[in-house]
DNA sequence: ATCAAGTCTGAAACTTGTTCTAGGTTAGCG
DNA sequence: CGCTAACCTAGAACAAGTTTCAGACTTGAT
């Protein structure tokens, strides 16, 4: 039963009716000044996050840094978590672009995915506080942020599928990708909270990537 | 400012040199009345969590429900996250006991682990709000809660190893278990935030459990 | 140019986690 | 019994996320 495909479709359908908010192709087109405000806010958010992480992103400070009234900030991003998830979307898009330029060189799909994720991991290590803010927001997000979190998830999936070099993955492969994403997020958290070393994260990523090999062998499953 | 980390460290240092706090075998033995207070607090916490989840566990309400002053509550559990993680330890211990009674019946280790996790998952489904509170606290926890979160992780590992029926696992098997835990936590989150169905979680668990088969074949790795 | 609708601003208010304080209570001990 | 240190309580106070509101500013259409 192609449950994977169904879920993705359902989820996608879920946020279409009530309208997307933080996704680029949104409902109301923003004026130039509004676009500029949005950008200033995201910049300030990333800036503050790069210092003290999640706690350092204080809504009053973001508002001040980006020259916007507090009420306006909340009009653009209805909560701190929304703001940080949008910040993550921003960074992810940037990273996807960067990764595209130099595709991973591994022989097998598993190797390429592991290499890609490790490259992303090294990027996050350069800004650990920013990583903290974004990842904590992502996992702390409640239902009200689901559409945005889902968008991040789709973006991540796209990056992994890119690394695998697949156009139309099998259900089994999509399941493997889902599990890889789970591991990726959770491993990041254990690293960020100091409960796992960088080496340990590397091992976990490499371990889970072996699942990909499994799907290649038993595709008819 | 990392106010949280500082606070917890100071608080811990103040009443006991190094030492764990919320773990049963703690440094200062509690008097009977203290033990009773602690239990009342945990009970109130679980109670409130079973209603509205993470947000419904309000420290003032917990204090009132458990007939304890707010300051005392904070002496027992230095933050809301500490409290909820301790609540989780409590529930986990209970569940481990329950699971022990009826061991899983699967043929392979992978099947038994998947079965065990699905059993735990069904238990969580019966109290989705409680699950929400505990899991969100767990992933939102910062460094100041690491010891307690680590304890939860060890407990979870023990449950999985139990299901596998292993006494001394190989490194590869431990890696697989780590990845399974990652997937378990992350899949729970996607379910709790409404981004994945119960069926989807089942698939993810079954998918990741196949990693165990891999370690059996290539043990010399 | 002018009006209506929609935005933005500054400031105050409200909520809930967390800290602090002053005084009362308890437990162990001489 | 009476002391002392540790513990507990009630309640105020503080911090940061979120909401609200009156008034000023923009924008788009007439």
């Amino acid at each position: 039963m192609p449950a994977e495909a169904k879920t993705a479709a359902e989820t996608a359908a879920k946020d279409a009716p009530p309208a997307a908010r933080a996704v680029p192709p949104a409902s109301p087109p923003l004026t130039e000044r509004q676009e500029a405000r949005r950008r200033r806010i995201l910049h300030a958010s990333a800036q503050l996050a790069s210092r003290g992480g999640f706690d350092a992103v204080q809504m009053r400070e973001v508002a001040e840094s980006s020259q916007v009234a507090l009420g306006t900030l909340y009009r653009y991003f209805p909560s701190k978590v929304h703001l940080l998830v949008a910040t993550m979307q921003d960074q992810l898009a940037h990273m996807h672009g960067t990764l595209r330029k130099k595709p991973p060189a591994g022989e097998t799909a598993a190797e390429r995915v592991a290499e890609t994720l490790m490259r992303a991991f090294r990027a996050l290590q350069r800004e650990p506080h920013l990583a903290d803010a974004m990842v904590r927001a992502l996992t702390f997000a409640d239902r009200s942020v689901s559409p945005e979190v889902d968008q991040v998830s789709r973006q991540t999936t796209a990056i992994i599928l890119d690394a695998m070099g697949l156009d139309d993955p099998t259900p089994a492969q999509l399941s493997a990708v889902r599990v890889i994403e789970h591991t990726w997020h959770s491993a990041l958290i254990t690293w960020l909270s100091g409960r796992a070393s960088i080496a340990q994260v590397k091992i976990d990523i490499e371990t889970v990537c072996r699942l990909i090999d499994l799907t290649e062998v038993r595709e008819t499953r």
Side-chain angles (χ1 to χ4, degrees), chain A residues 50-144:
Chain A
S50 295
R51 304 221 206 309
F54 189 89
D55 292 332
V57 181
Q58 303 194 355
M59 299 304 269
R60 287 179 237 270
E61 282 208 38
V62 173
E64 190 171 356
S65 286
S66 48
Q67 310 252 264
V68 137
L70 193 54
T72 305
L73 172 53
Y74 273 94
R75 172 184 286 275
Y76 281 70
F77 302 97
S79 79
K80 173 170 172 170
V81 168
H82 281 85
L83 170 58
L84 285 172
V85 171
T87 303
M88 176 144 201
Q89 289 178 350
D90 214 40
Q91 305 284 315
L92 247 196
H94 184 256
M95 169 159 291
H96 196 171
T98 304
L99 289 174
R100 251 193 229 286
K101 280 186 230 156
K102 309 189 233 168
E107 290 277 309
T108 70
E111 283 172 11
R112 289 193 297 276
V113 172
E115 188 184 332
T116 299
L117 292 180
M118 281 308 294
R119 208 182 282 178
F121 184 36
R122 278 188 290 275
L124 292 179
Q125 286 170 49
R126 265 172 250 130
E127 295 287 2
H129 289 305
L130 177 58
D132 172 79
M134 298 189 306
V135 174
R136 296 261 294 285
L138 208 62
T139 62
F140 191 59
D142 66 1
R143 300 178 110 86
S144 70

Side-chain angles (χ1 to χ4, degrees), chain A residues 113-198:
Chain A
V113 172
E115 188 184 332
T116 299
L117 292 180
M118 281 308 294
R119 208 182 282 178
F121 184 36
R122 278 188 290 275
L124 292 179
Q125 286 170 49
R126 265 172 250 130
E127 295 287 2
H129 289 305
L130 177 58
D132 172 79
M134 298 189 306
V135 174
R136 296 261 294 285
L138 208 62
T139 62
F140 191 59
D142 66 1
R143 300 178 110 86
S144 70
V145 203
S146 287
E148 288 81 1
V149 174
D150 229 62
Q151 159 79 8
V152 168
S153 177
R154 274 196 294 280
Q155 181 85 336
T156 307
T157 302
I159 290 176
I160 295 175
L161 288 178
D162 258 25
M164 291 174 70
L166 288 180
D167 290 320
D168 64 352
T170 67
Q173 286 172 326
L174 283 176
S175 289
V177 170
R178 286 181 57 90
V179 170
I180 289 171
E181 278 187 56
H182 288 319
T183 302
W184 165 246
H185 281 139
S186 178
L188 277 184
I189 288 176
T190 59
W191 169 64
L192 287 168
S193 61
R195 303 199 317 280
S197 64
I198 291 175

